[in-house]
């Protein structure tokens, strides 16, 4: 009956929908109890097995998943789509709204969902391949459970040529959310995606917590959570171990909160790449706080291309971070991807705060601020940094900071020493 009570509360006061001022606790509580399969009589369950899906791990159940979602989405009552215990094989599927449920539509995943491994299933007409599981145009969604999405990416990673080509084709993301508002992702696992684990675009009011994302450290372009053109995204209590950025925020990412996330292996927390497209929207209001990084290529990074595409990145806080054997703990790179190009970056970086960052670096340059010659970084504040060198002792170079075209203000303890 716990879900019944939660749903009644949400019907009376939809905590995440239509601007209601009530606390979101009811929706979060619903996500938790639904993950355990506690469903009340006013929630109608739509089980993929009842729509013909086979839990044998061999039969393609794509159309059965789509039919189940459509039945739940079009139901004029409180609904939950159930993916029960078992192993299900599906190719690319599109779960598209709008939906007609009076409360948030719940997708409860307890089984293992495996992707078709053959890339022929994902060939699209555009620049990128079709993503695996796409949620689109939905207002009010809970994706929860103890289940696993297995992208079977190891079968295709060797074909990824993005390390050699800047205009490469992006491989399919495991979970893509586009034009989705008022959503909660809780408890699910993602293993070995072909591309990104989770992709959020043109979406608003997202909560991601207690999620596990795993792929080998050498898996290409397997960003944990990648977002663009999205506002009010909160990520917390999550473990990300992957082959690219743990969290990446590109153009149009605003009011993003990342807290209590464990990152590693991976490329750290990245803002960018920016300046890659024409008419990019600004990035602002980013907070990365109380996180830990272990043996990552980067710690916290802002990266922009050397192009004439103008935009701004401002109002950024990196605070209370623990880094263990991180290669580049603090880095701004405004020559990303094309250092030999004579054009300087037109992205303006300002109002960036690094506060209480401590741990170990495997690079002799632990703080590396390489800003644009035509648009120098403004308002960079570095407060209480305690990083120690933990790399090979094969040279006599000092443990240091490097700054170019950056206006930096220092406060408190500094190791390495500040830029002169």
């Amino acid at each position: 009956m716990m879900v019944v009570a939660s749903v009644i509360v949400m019907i009376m006061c939809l905590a995440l929908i239509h601007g209601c001022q009530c606390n979101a606790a009811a929706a979060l509580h619903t996500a938790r109890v639904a993950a355990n399969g506690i469903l009340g009589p006013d929630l109608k369950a739509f089980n993929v097995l009842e729509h013909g899906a086979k839990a044998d791990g061999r039969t393609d159940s794509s159309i059965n998943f789509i039919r189940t979602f459509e039945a739940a989405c079009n139901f004029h009552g409180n609904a939950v789509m159930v993916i029960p215990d078992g192993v299900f094989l599906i190719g690319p599927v599109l779960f598209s709204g709008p939906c007609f449920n009076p409360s948030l539509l719940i997708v409860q995943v307890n089984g293992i969902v495996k992707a078709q491994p053959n890339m022929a299933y994902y060939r699209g007409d555009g620049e990128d391949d079709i993503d695996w599981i796409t949620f689109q145009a939905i207002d009010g969604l809970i994706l929860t459970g103890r289940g696993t999405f297995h992208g079977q990416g190891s079968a295709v990673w060797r074909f990824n040529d993005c390390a050699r080509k800047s205009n490469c084709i992006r491989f399919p993301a495991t979970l893509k959310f586009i034009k989705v508002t008022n959503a909660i992702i809780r408890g699910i696992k993602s293993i070995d995606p072909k591309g990104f684990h989770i992709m959020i675009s043109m979406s608003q009011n997202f909560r991601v917590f207690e999620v596990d994302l795993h792929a080998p450290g050498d898996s290409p372009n397997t960003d944990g959570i990648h977002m663009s053109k999205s506002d009010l995204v909160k990520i917390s209590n999550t473990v990300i171990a992957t082959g690219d950025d743990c969290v990446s925020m590109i153009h149009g990412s605003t009011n993003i909160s990342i807290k209590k996330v464990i990152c590693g292996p991976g490329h750290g927390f990245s803002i960018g790449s920016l300046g890659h497209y024409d008419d990019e929207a600004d990035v602002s209001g980013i907070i990365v706080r109380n996180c830990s990084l272990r043996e990552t290529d980067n710690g916290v990074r802002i990266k922009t291309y050397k192009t004439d595409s103008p935009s701004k990145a401002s109002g950024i806080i990196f605070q209370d971070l623990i880094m263990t054997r991180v290669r580049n703990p603090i880095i701004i790179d405004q020559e990303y991807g094309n250092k030999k190009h004579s054009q300087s970056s037109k992205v303006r970086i300002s109002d960036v705060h690094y506060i209480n960052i401590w741990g170990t670096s495997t690079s002799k340059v632990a703080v590396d601020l390489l800003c644009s010659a035509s648009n120098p970084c403004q308002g960079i504040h570095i407060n209480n940094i305690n990083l120690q060198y933990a790399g090979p002792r094969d040279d006599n170079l000092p443990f240091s900071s490097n700054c170019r075209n950056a206006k930096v203000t220092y406060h408190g303890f500094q190791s390495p020493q500040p830029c002169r």
Side-chain angles (χ1 to χ4, degrees):
M1 296 298 293
M2 296 173 70
V3 169
V4 180
S6 297
V7 171
I8 292 173
V9 171
M10 283 191 296
I11 295 172
M12 296 174 62
C13 173
L14 299 179
L16 292 177
I17 299 179
H18 306 313
C20 176
Q21 298 301 312
C22 299
N23 194 290
L28 297 176
H29 177 70
T30 300
R32 288 189 176 94
V33 296
N36 297 320
I38 305 172
L39 304 176
D42 78 329
L43 263 177
K44 180 174 176 59
F46 295 83
N47 194 309
V48 295
L49 294 176
E50 296 172 356
H51 289 261
K54 304 297 182 184
D56 58 11
R58 299 185 305 274
T59 305
D60 190 300
S61 296
S62 303
I63 189 63
N64 313 98
F65 272 54
I66 293 172
R67 288 170 178 165
T68 308
F69 175 83
E70 289 177 346
C73 178
N74 291 321
F75 179 64
H76 289 259
N78 303 312
V80 55
M81 173 182 174
V82 177
I83 303 172
D85 290 331
V87 181
F88 300 89
L89 178 69
I90 64 172
V93 294
L94 173 62
F95 297 147
S96 185
C99 295
F100 298 96
N101 319 109
S103 64
L104 291 81
L105 172 63
I106 300 173
V107 178
Q108 177 193 335
V109 184
N110 287 335
I112 299 172
V113 185
K114 287 191 171 183
Q116 285 283 3
N118 194 325
M119 285 294 290
Y121 283 87
Y122 306 90
R123 295 303 181 199
D125 297 329
E127 296 180 355
D128 296 324
D129 288 323
I130 297 171
D131 294 294
W132 179 26
I133 300 172
T134 300
F135 292 87
Q136 176 177 293
I138 301 171
D139 185 357
L141 174 70
I142 296 176
L143 173 62
T144 188
R146 51 182 169 77
T148 299
F149 295 95
H150 198 307
Q152 304 211 80
S154 60
V156 302
W157 289 330
R158 66 184 183 275
F159 303 120
N160 189 309
D161 59 359
C162 290
R164 301 183 301 273
K165 294 171 58 179
S166 61
N167 59 342
C168 62
I169 294 176
R170 180 179 62 78
F171 275 31
T174 287
L175 294 168
K176 180 179 180 180
F177 301 87
I178 183 167
K179 297 181 180 178
V180 174
T181 58
N182 307 307
I184 297 173
I185 308 172
R186 187 262 176 189
I188 57 97
K189 298 178 178 65
S190 170
I191 297 175
D192 293 355
K194 293 178 175 64
F196 306 147
H197 290 268
I198 296 174
M199 182 177 181
I200 302 171
S201 183
M202 293 184 281
S203 297
Q204 186 175 21
N205 202 10
F206 241 83
R207 181 79 178 266
V208 181
F209 68 107
E210 297 175 9
V211 167
D212 287 337
L213 311 177
H214 292 273
D218 60 355
S219 56
N221 299 107
T222 53
D223 292 37
I225 301 174
H226 176 86
M227 66 189 84
S228 65
K229 302 177 184 175
S230 295
D231 182 54
L232 290 173
V233 179
K234 295 183 178 181
I235 304 167
S236 64
N237 298 295
T238 286
V239 177
I240 305 174
T242 195
D244 210 302
D245 297 329
C246 288
V247 180
S248 53
M249 298 154 275
I250 63 171
H251 57 96
S253 297
T254 57
N255 300 308
I256 311 298
S257 171
I258 302 166
K259 297 180 181 180
K260 297 182 180 179
V261 172
I262 298 173
C263 169
H267 294 181
F269 301 105
S270 290
I271 296 172
S273 304
L274 305 178
H276 189 57
Y277 305 101
D278 294 333
D279 301 320
E280 287 190 354
D282 296 341
V283 172
S284 64
I286 310 296
I287 299 176
V288 180
R289 179 178 290 155
N290 196 16
C291 297
S292 62
L293 301 97
R294 179 178 291 274
E295 297 185 344
T296 54
D297 282 7
N298 304 289
V300 289
R301 175 172 58 161
I302 303 173
K303 52 181 177 175
T304 76
Y305 282 101
K306 294 175 68 176
T307 66
D308 58 1
S309 177
S311 63
K312 298 177 183 177
S314 62
I316 299 164
I317 298 173
F318 301 111
Q319 182 175 2
D320 299 334
L321 308 179
I322 300 175
M323 303 195 180
T324 304
R325 296 185 57 80
V326 171
R327 185 181 299 173
N328 301 300
I330 296 174
I331 180 170
I332 295 177
D333 184 1
Q334 292 208 257
E335 296 184 354
Y336 179 76
N338 48 3
K339 294 184 183 298
K340 295 182 179 179
H341 200 289
S342 60
Q343 170 73 55
S344 62
S345 175
K346 291 296 190 295
V347 178
R348 294 181 180 272
I349 298 173
S350 64
D351 191 22
V352 182
H353 299 257
Y354 302 92
I355 307 168
N356 299 336
I357 298 175
W358 59 93
T360 54
S361 168
T362 59
S363 169
K364 284 290 185 72
V365 181
V367 179
D368 195 4
L369 310 180
L370 179 58
C371 295
S372 170
S374 60
N375 295 278
C377 297
Q378 302 288 331
I380 309 299
H381 299 268
I382 300 182
N383 189 345
N384 288 331
I385 306 299
N386 188 353
L387 297 168
Q388 304 299 323
Y389 181 62
R393 307 283 178 176
D394 55 359
D395 59 52
N396 295 320
L397 294 175
F399 188 51
S400 64
S401 302
N402 176 54
C403 306
R404 187 194 305 174
N405 306 315
K407 186 174 182 179
V408 186
T409 302
Y410 294 93
H411 309 271
F413 183 82
Q414 299 294 328
S415 176
Q417 289 296 306
C419 294
R420 295 180 178 178

